Amino acid sequence: IGKMFSIIIPVYNVEQYLDKCLKSISKQTFLDFECIIVDDGSPDNSNAIIDKYVNKDQRFKVIHQKNMGLSAARNTGLDAAKGDYIAFVDSDDYIANDYLEKFVLKIASSNADIIICGIIEVFKNYENSRVFANATTEVIKQNIFADPWPSFVWNKCYKKELFDNVRFPVGKAFEDLLTIPEVCLNANKIVCIPDKLYYYNRQNVSSITAKMSVEKIYNLFEGHLKSRQLAILHNINCSKLLDEKMVKEVIKCLLINCYDNKLSEIHEQIMLDYLKERLDKSEIDGIRERFWVKMLLAKRKKLCAWYAHIRGK
């Protein structure tokens, strides 16, 4: 039997935060939902916490799988979901009691394909809130593609059909960035609500964004590159804003890789080709950025030897 909402929660090594997450879902004032918990081979005590909710509330279901990563766990949840709308909650985060209720009210008044809510970032000693002003669907898409609005999967609810031909890329960091702009393309109407309903835990030091490696910076660039290509294809005006981010990402990535040497030559060449195209089209703003780009294109090996020497000291 279908439900209005399917809430998908991937779980891996989060016993410290999981009970608070699941409790916030069990307390929802809107009751017509299923909660699909995907245990991604978690070796800690998470399963005991999951069982507590599955055994006492039939809306909670668990799927166990071997550890395949966050994207694979979300994809498993999508494959099992029976709701008309999909919402994602990360297992170290939690939601307001009226999270689903506020989404339902907005769906009823707007029939939107995607609804975006405000967030509260929870740090150790303080909180930081952020809301997203309602605008036309075109402007919202520009903001998500250009990334001044984060392309988080989790502060949104989606008509399930938007994911019919879209899944998260397995084995990549910043999988939201590689997925959500594409999902937004499928949406005819996107709206924002001012309510701050999602609590984003910034204390989890094991989260993907906590420690940046050269591979993660490349995945970030890769996500932005995909967004840029889709934006051009679908006439979404955001290339200039994206290029400002991407040029900085590529310079940083190439320089760090001089020392770490963890990226393949193919990946390096994709980034160098991107820089050359931007330089040829005079699309790089800033004297500093142009200097580094010219150096990386003309004297990369010497520059890398120097940078590796400096980093090695």
Side-chain angles (χ1 to χ4, degrees), residues 70 74 151-154 168 173-181:
L70 182 57
R74 284 180 179 159
S151 50
F152 299 136
V153 68
W154 38 250
F168 293 90
F174 300 102
E175 68 293 324
D176 296 9
L177 183 60
L178 286 155
T179 309
I180 298 311

Side-chain angles (χ1 to χ4, degrees), residues 49-98:
I49 299 164
I50 293 167
D51 287 344
K52 186 175 78 171
Y53 286 88
V54 171
N55 292 335
K56 74 178 180 185
D57 189 333
Q58 63 183 13
R59 295 172 303 176
F60 286 77
K61 304 171 175 113
V62 63
I63 300 170
H64 299 284
Q65 66 183 34
K66 67 178 184 180
N67 179 242
M68 293 188 286
L70 182 57
S71 287
R74 284 180 179 159
N75 291 342
T76 297
L78 281 169
D79 292 341
K82 293 183 170 65
D84 301 315
Y85 287 81
I86 303 286
F88 296 88
V89 178
D90 280 358
S91 50
D92 51 354
D93 299 336
Y94 54 99
I95 54 177
N97 292 355
D98 57 351

Side-chain angles (χ1 to χ4, degrees), residues 105-123:
L105 291 170
K106 198 63 181 178
I107 289 164
S109 65
S110 68
N111 194 32
D113 300 308
I114 300 175
I115 297 98
I116 301 171
C117 72
I119 64 175
I120 296 172
E121 295 178 277
V122 182
F123 295 87

Side-chain angles (χ1 to χ4, degrees), residues 2-65:
K3 294 280 186 182
M4 184 161 185
F5 287 97
S6 294
I7 304 174
I8 296 170
I9 306 179
V11 171
Y12 183 77
N13 263 11
V14 283
E15 61 178 314
Q16 183 181 350
Y17 309 105
L18 185 57
D19 190 63
K20 187 168 191 173
C21 172
L22 297 181
K23 187 179 285 182
S24 74
I25 289 159
S26 70
K27 288 185 170 181
Q28 288 303 295
T29 52
F30 183 81
L31 305 177
D32 187 20
F33 69 86
E34 62 172 2
C35 178
I36 301 169
I37 306 163
V38 182
D39 163 36
D40 191 41
S42 195
D44 67 352
N45 198 41
S46 294
N47 269 308
I49 299 164
I50 293 167
D51 287 344
K52 186 175 78 171
Y53 286 88
V54 171
N55 292 335
K56 74 178 180 185
D57 189 333
Q58 63 183 13
R59 295 172 303 176
F60 286 77
K61 304 171 175 113
V62 63
I63 300 170
H64 299 284
Q65 66 183 34

